[in-house]
Amino acid sequence: MDVWAPEPLRHPPLITIEKIGNLQMPLTSEQKYYADLAALLDPACYHYVSGASWTVTVPAGEVCYGLNIWNAKFPGGSTCLFHRDADAQAPMPMPAGMSLAAADPQAFILYARPVDVQAADARYTDDPKGLYFERLAKLLTIPMQCLTVNRPVGTPFVTNSQKYISNGYPTFEKGIVRQWQLHDGSWMCMLGPGTNIINTQMERNDKYPIRKTSAVLFPFMTSMFCGIWLNNGSEGDHAVNGTQAYNGYGAMHYQILPSDW
């Protein structure tokens, strides 16, 4: 008795061979897209550099993503580049060969290099789309934490309003911010050990109080960032260094990521 079986596929699905680091992997364009989206949710692929003399160049065959950029420029250019919203859902793509350099002594860049986590983790090749949505679903099960900083009305300009997770000594390694909240300060930054600092949201200037919230996906390593800073907000005829005009506060709502993230 003959048993029928289907013939092998005459035209197997088309694939493109993408290179991630030194590893050759078969990825469709869609898979590569989701592999990068999944990587952007992992704080282990983020790099931060700051100061007056840095240059970042994207290696051949790679794409990086700028998450926060302050006072950078294309080498030899004159126009300064800023990217203030700290959100992995809206990064600035940086194609292979792109270079950015410091344009100010306090210039910085926070960028993601997906290859750092993709090269040694089979999940990014086996089912990158599934990994991305699995991570989003996992976030719906993790408790929300809140870090808040207050700035009472009348606070002098010279007084810094800063708050750190667990007094600057977090007991976890990886987290992800889900919401930024700024109320009557002129801006709010995220801080880290030493001089590490990034913007969290768009701002008007260094003086006037604003009210702004943003729902985000912003992964962070506590060794890189672990606190927030609410800047002074003054009104009327006050100079930039006037006293705090209203009771101001800022908040960072975040989740602690599991070790198997």
Side-chain angles (χ1 to χ4, degrees):
M1 175 177 166
D2 294 331
V3 178
W4 179 87
E7 294 184 37
L9 288 175
R10 296 181 183 275
H11 303 286
L14 293 175
I15 59 174
T16 56
I17 302 299
E18 301 279 354
K19 184 177 181 181
I20 293 185
N22 295 319
L23 183 64
Q24 295 284 349
M25 307 189 318
L27 289 176
T28 65
S29 296
E30 181 184 61
Q31 288 173 324
K32 182 65 171 70
Y33 173 77
Y34 281 105
D36 281 3
L37 287 183
L40 284 167
L41 296 181
D42 190 341
C45 76
Y46 284 79
H47 298 260
Y48 178 80
V49 292
S50 63
S53 60
W54 56 263
T55 299
V56 170
T57 302
V58 181
E62 295 187 29
V63 176
C64 292
Y65 298 88
L67 270 289
N68 222 256
I69 305 169
W70 195 86
N71 235 330
K73 65 179 181 180
F74 288 94
S78 59
T79 303
C80 292
L81 174 64
F82 296 82
H83 187 75
R84 298 180 187 275
D85 289 327
D87 185 4
Q89 300 170 109
M92 177 182 176
M94 300 170 61
M98 179 176 174
S99 289
L100 288 176
D104 182 271
Q106 296 180 315
F108 62 77
I109 181 171
L110 174 69
Y111 68 97
R113 188 185 180 202
V115 66
D116 287 350
V117 292
Q118 292 170 343
D121 190 336
R123 294 179 299 172
Y124 288 97
T125 55
D126 292 344
D127 185 11
K129 185 176 181 178
L131 175 61
Y132 173 66
F133 285 108
E134 176 186 315
R135 284 178 168 170
L136 292 182
K138 180 67 175 178
L139 290 176
L140 298 178
T141 69
I142 300 174
M144 194 72 69
Q145 313 288 329
C146 182
L147 180 66
T148 303
V149 59
N150 294 293
R151 190 170 179 84
V153 60
T155 300
F157 172 79
V158 295
T159 301
N160 288 334
S161 298
Q162 301 174 355
K163 189 69 174 293
Y164 288 86
I165 300 171
S166 302
N167 297 316
Y169 299 95
T171 57
F172 63 95
E173 181 184 18
K174 298 179 180 181
I176 186 167
V177 179
R178 302 306 308 277
Q179 196 234 21
W180 301 115
Q181 185 162 301
L182 168 59
H183 189 94
D184 286 339
S186 58
W187 46 255
M188 187 175 74
C189 284
M190 195 174 189
L191 300 171
T195 59
N196 288 7
I197 185 171
I198 57 168
N199 298 286
T200 58
Q201 302 178 101
M202 293 293 292
E203 60 195 52
R204 179 180 175 184
N205 53 31
D206 291 331
K207 173 184 175 180
Y208 291 102
I210 61 173
R211 296 177 181 179
K212 182 174 174 59
T213 63
S214 301
V216 300
L217 289 167
F218 180 71
F220 65 96
M221 303 286 290
T222 54
S223 59
M224 190 179 294
F225 298 105
C226 56
I228 52 177
W229 175 9
L230 179 66
N231 194 54
N232 191 67
S234 60
E235 282 277 25
D237 295 331
H238 293 298
V240 172
N241 60 355
T243 58
Q244 178 70 28
Y246 313 106
N247 286 321
Y249 62 87
M252 175 182 99
H253 294 89
Y254 67 97
Q255 294 166 294
I256 298 172
L257 296 177
S259 58
D260 61 352
W261 185 251

